[in-house]
Amino acid sequence: MPELPEVESVRRGLVEAKLTAPVVNIWRSSYKLRTGKHWQTENLTLLQGARPKQLQRRGKYILWQFETPNKQPLALLIHLGMSGRCGVALPEQAKIVHTHLVLRFADDREFRFIDPRRFGGVRVATWEHIFQQPPLSELGPEPLDVAFRGALLAERLQQSSRCIRDALLDQQVVAGIGNIYAIEALYQAKIHPLVAARRLRDSAWDRLAKAIVHVLQQGIEHGGTTLKDFRNVVGQPGKNQDRLLVYGRAGKPCFHCKESLESFEHGGRNGVFCPREQVRPRSRWVE
DNA sequence: CAAGAATCCTGAATGC
DNA sequence: TGCATTCAGGATTCTT
């Protein structure tokens, strides 16, 4: 479930926890987490004795730097999947169901990773090359970088016949966007979600890039979107769900023009748009 | 290259 | 009340 703003909220929550003591114990459930070739080897035992350092985020990934006793920097890579949660707890607190990883630190606190659906994953690698290796090396540009512009999207998509909503969900096109924020950004940019990417003009790419930045920043400011499951590090839901303009509002009036918002289904994922403000250039005649 | 389906799972909500 | 079905914010892999 978590998209960039939710992952960023979790990252900030972990920063707040100020964990600096070395890892004294590592517990891992017996369940498999995320499948796929980049997640086969978790290497978690490398963290034994290592001290937690800086926390970064790239797309929907959390990158937590650890330093081993002989000063080797490691990266704990965390992906929350659909239902992953991170928390800090005390050893005497019982593990809630679906807890899959517990790192116990020397100050008697624990980092815990909980994930009912187990689409999330954890992995340790050396820090040095983490950005050069998959999965991070395959990610598209970071939308909150100052360099992020409409031209960056156009560069990748102006020849593409894919529909723009699906393209935005592709992490190789741009990192961190999921269905909610894609739908919100397209509404704000007044672009029909099912239009072919190649049909967008430069002005539309610029509007889209600005809208993406806006919806993501707003999501972060309000602690992420909690439709159902999302909780931050201290177990609280986000507040951004109250600020969504279209997602989950099918059949309700558009806040701008009062037209009834329409839902659609494409590629197994549904979405919402305003049929009056997000016009589809060509297929209006076809259908 | 692109679209769709199947897949990895649980749990909440909905339908009968 | 209980049981079955449907759906969810993700991502990969295979098929068409």
Side-chain angles (χ1 to χ4, degrees), chain A residues 25 33 49 63 91 104 147 152 186 209 229 237 242 284:
Chain A
N25 193 41
L33 292 173
L63 278 137
R104 185 161 170 185
L152 268 184
L186 288 164
D229 301 321
D242 302 333
R284 290 169 73 191

Side-chain angles (χ1 to χ4, degrees), chain A residues 63-104:
Chain A
L63 278 137
W64 197 352
Q65 190 178 67
F66 280 75
E67 192 179 73
T68 65
N70 43 348
K71 305 291 177 197
Q72 193 198 14
L74 300 175
L76 169 61
L77 196 62
I78 303 169
H79 194 291
L80 302 177
M82 292 276 259
S83 56
R85 281 173 57 180
C86 294
V88 176
L90 300 174
E92 56 265 31
Q93 291 176 277
K95 285 197 273 288
I96 67 171
V97 278
H98 309 301
T99 297
H100 297 296
L101 173 66
V102 176
L103 299 180
R104 185 161 170 185

Side-chain angles (χ1 to χ4, degrees), chain A residues 273-286:
Chain A
F273 67 102
C274 173
R276 189 150 145 195
E277 307 210 346
Q278 294 167 276
V279 275
R280 195 174 178 179
R282 189 123 168 267
S283 29
R284 290 169 73 191
W285 295 298
V286 180

Side-chain angles (χ1 to χ4, degrees), chain A residues 54-258:
Chain A
Q54 54 164 320
L55 279 142
Q56 296 187 14
R57 179 194 53 73
R58 176 79 170 95
K60 298 174 188 172
Y61 295 86
I62 290 171
L63 278 137
W64 197 352
Q65 190 178 67
F66 280 75
E67 192 179 73
T68 65
N70 43 348
K71 305 291 177 197
Q72 193 198 14
L74 300 175
L76 169 61
L77 196 62
I78 303 169
H79 194 291
L80 302 177
M82 292 276 259
S83 56
R85 281 173 57 180
C86 294
V88 176
L90 300 174
E92 56 265 31
Q93 291 176 277
K95 285 197 273 288
I96 67 171
V97 278
H98 309 301
T99 297
H100 297 296
L101 173 66
V102 176
L103 299 180
R104 185 161 170 185
F105 301 98
D107 64 355
D108 255 358
R109 288 192 291 167
E110 293 181 346
F111 164 80
R112 299 185 180 185
F113 178 76
I114 301 113
D115 186 2
R117 289 175 74 180
R118 314 206 307 264
F119 290 174
V122 289
R123 203 195 98 179
V124 173
T126 56
W127 183 267
E128 203 185 348
H129 298 119
I130 191 73
F131 291 98
Q132 279 75 54
Q133 297 167 350
L136 297 189
S137 63
E138 291 169 0
L139 294 178
E142 189 65 30
L144 297 186
D145 272 2
V146 284
F148 184 69
R149 292 265 184 301
L152 268 184
L153 291 171
E155 191 183 300
R156 280 153 211 264
L157 295 172
Q158 62 193 356
Q159 320 266 29
S160 173
S161 60
R162 303 163 77 184
C163 81
I164 187 64
R165 195 283 307 260
D166 288 7
L168 291 180
L169 297 185
D170 184 343
Q171 301 300 299
Q172 301 195 38
V173 168
V174 50
I177 300 176
N179 203 26
I180 293 179
Y181 293 99
I183 289 298
E184 291 293 315
L186 288 164
Y187 170 75
Q188 192 175 304
K190 299 191 193 292
I191 297 168
H192 192 293
L194 298 182
V195 76
R198 55 152 60 107
R199 306 193 65 83
L200 301 194
R201 304 167 159 279
D202 284 352
S203 58
W205 287 119
D206 285 337
R207 289 202 311 278
L208 182 54
K210 284 200 177 86
I212 286 169
V213 171
H214 182 263
V215 297
L216 294 178
Q217 281 179 342
Q218 182 178 258
I220 292 171
E221 274 169 41
H222 298 101
T225 302
T226 298
L227 293 183
K228 205 170 66 169
D229 301 321
F230 173 70
R231 293 292 183 281
N232 63 22
V233 172
V234 289
Q236 296 165 329
K239 293 183 172 143
N240 194 244
Q241 59 278 10
D242 302 333
R243 303 194 119 74
L244 300 180
L245 299 180
V246 273
Y247 191 90
R249 297 193 64 247
K252 294 179 178 165
C254 169
F255 284 130
H256 290 153
C257 71
K258 309 301 176 200

